[in-house]
Amino acid sequence: MEATDWSDLENDAVVAAYFSMLSDELSGRRYNKAAQNRALQDQINRSRGSIEFKMCNVSAALRGLGLPIIKGYAPRFNFQMALAEAAARWLACNPEWEIALHQKEQRQMAEPAPIFVGVAPTLRNAPPPDELEQMQRIARRFDAAGRDERNRALGYAGEERVFHHERATLKLNGRDDLARQVRWVSKEDGDGLGFDIASFTPDGQDRLIEVKTTNGWERTPFHISRNELEVAEERRDHWHLFRLHDFAREPKAFELRPPLEAHVSLSATSFQASFE
């Protein structure tokens, strides 16, 4: 009979196999789930069924960490935190993995079609409370928002995608004149303005867009600066938060308008220390 708890070595082995398959899937390469399962059976002496179930647990852990997941391994919740710790260890040992996800995106960028902008998750049915709480607990513990914020390749790729989205949207509405005036201000002028893209509505009104990008699901938390919040309040008629999620696979999006407190809970994560 199999032991109930999995050791760190077993968790590490399953997580490594999962990331190997996920990398192949995101790159469009063929891979064999059954062969990976058989190799793990030999390596850790667990049954086929328990390994399949554990792979679904890994999907849930990666969702909490703000990462893409393998199709076909639907997230199964109520797993031990040790599994999320194993995923965090793998990421720490492979820091280039997330950066590489967006190299193809940047190479292929030309003038893509507009992104479908859906409804914000706060306006749709929420996941079951227990599942949502577990995802939030993992995101807080491993700072999923901070990892996205520090991933410059991800942030750059997301802003670039929204820049082209805005231009394409205006062109589809017959406003080539405005499309030519869209500016990627965070790239041209630097950070600090409180928004990344200066665009327009089809009738010529300003659209000041702050882009927040994640490879994770729609409820992955994100960081927002005090300056961004102040600009959102000062320019609330024109300011938009453009949230990109599932970015590594097929970007999806929704927008939030001020006041942001109507959509999200804002929590202080650090304090500035000043000398008196």
Side-chain angles (χ1 to χ4, degrees):
M1 181 177 294
E2 294 183 352
T4 300
D5 293 335
W6 288 52
S7 69
D8 286 345
L9 288 175
E10 289 174 318
N11 283 332
D12 287 343
V14 170
V15 164
Y18 189 103
F19 272 109
S20 174
M21 291 186 287
L22 178 59
S23 299
D24 287 340
E25 184 171 290
L26 293 175
S27 300
R29 298 188 294 266
R30 295 173 64 89
Y31 65 95
N32 190 319
K33 291 180 180 178
Q36 284 279 12
N37 191 302
R38 288 192 295 270
L40 283 169
Q41 290 177 53
D42 293 338
Q43 182 179 356
I44 62 177
N45 195 30
R46 293 276 182 170
S47 70
R48 182 193 65 80
S50 65
I51 291 171
E52 285 291 295
F53 193 94
K54 200 70 169 181
M55 288 292 184
C56 294
N57 288 153
V58 177
S59 287
L62 263 57
R63 175 163 284 183
L65 287 165
L67 295 169
I69 63 175
I70 293 175
K71 294 179 179 178
Y73 284 137
R76 290 180 177 269
F77 298 87
N78 298 317
F79 52 87
Q80 292 180 317
M81 188 63 74
L83 189 60
E85 292 170 351
R89 282 195 298 274
W90 191 94
L91 290 169
C93 292
N94 299 273
E96 74 290 345
W97 184 79
E98 286 189 89
I99 296 174
L101 293 179
H102 310 295
Q103 292 175 343
K104 182 177 70 172
E105 179 78 20
Q106 293 181 34
R107 287 196 304 269
Q108 293 180 348
M109 190 68 68
E111 190 77 19
I115 305 165
F116 173 75
V117 180
V119 177
T122 49
L123 302 177
R124 300 198 304 272
N125 292 332
D130 291 345
E131 294 181 5
L132 183 56
E133 170 55 30
Q134 189 168 26
M135 296 301 95
Q136 291 171 338
R137 189 165 64 251
I138 292 170
R140 288 192 300 267
R141 177 167 176 177
F142 297 99
D143 193 15
R147 199 179 65 255
D148 282 344
E149 187 75 11
R150 292 186 295 270
N151 189 339
R152 293 186 178 276
L154 173 65
Y156 185 96
E159 290 177 17
E160 185 176 21
R161 186 69 179 86
V162 175
F163 172 75
H164 288 291
H165 163 83
E166 290 294 311
R167 286 170 51 89
T169 299
L170 287 166
K171 289 179 180 180
L172 285 175
N173 282 276
R175 296 307 306 263
D176 289 46
D177 57 329
L178 293 177
R180 289 191 293 270
Q181 298 179 53
V182 175
R183 295 183 63 237
W184 185 352
V185 295
S186 62
K187 179 181 178 182
E188 298 175 21
D189 304 332
D191 293 327
L193 294 178
F195 56 93
D196 301 309
I197 311 293
S199 185
F200 306 91
T201 63
D203 63 0
Q205 297 297 311
D206 288 338
R207 265 175 60 83
L208 309 179
I209 303 168
E210 175 62 30
V211 182
K212 300 294 182 182
T213 309
T214 185
N215 290 315
W217 68 320
E218 60 189 14
R219 289 178 176 267
T220 302
F222 56 88
H223 279 182
I224 186 163
S225 70
R226 182 185 297 275
N227 180 55
E228 290 160 357
L229 289 173
E230 290 176 351
V231 174
E233 181 60 27
E234 293 168 1
R235 304 291 303 275
R236 63 163 53 198
D237 290 339
H238 305 291
W239 193 92
H240 303 252
L241 190 146
F242 199 104
R243 181 55 162 165
L244 281 169
H245 58 95
D246 295 290
F247 190 71
R249 195 180 296 280
E250 182 177 354
K252 304 178 181 66
F254 59 86
E255 290 192 9
L256 301 179
R257 299 298 311 281
L260 291 185
E261 293 89 337
H263 304 280
V264 297
S265 298
L266 297 174
S267 303
T269 57
S270 64
F271 296 89
Q272 177 174 298
S274 300
F275 292 98
E276 299 295 339

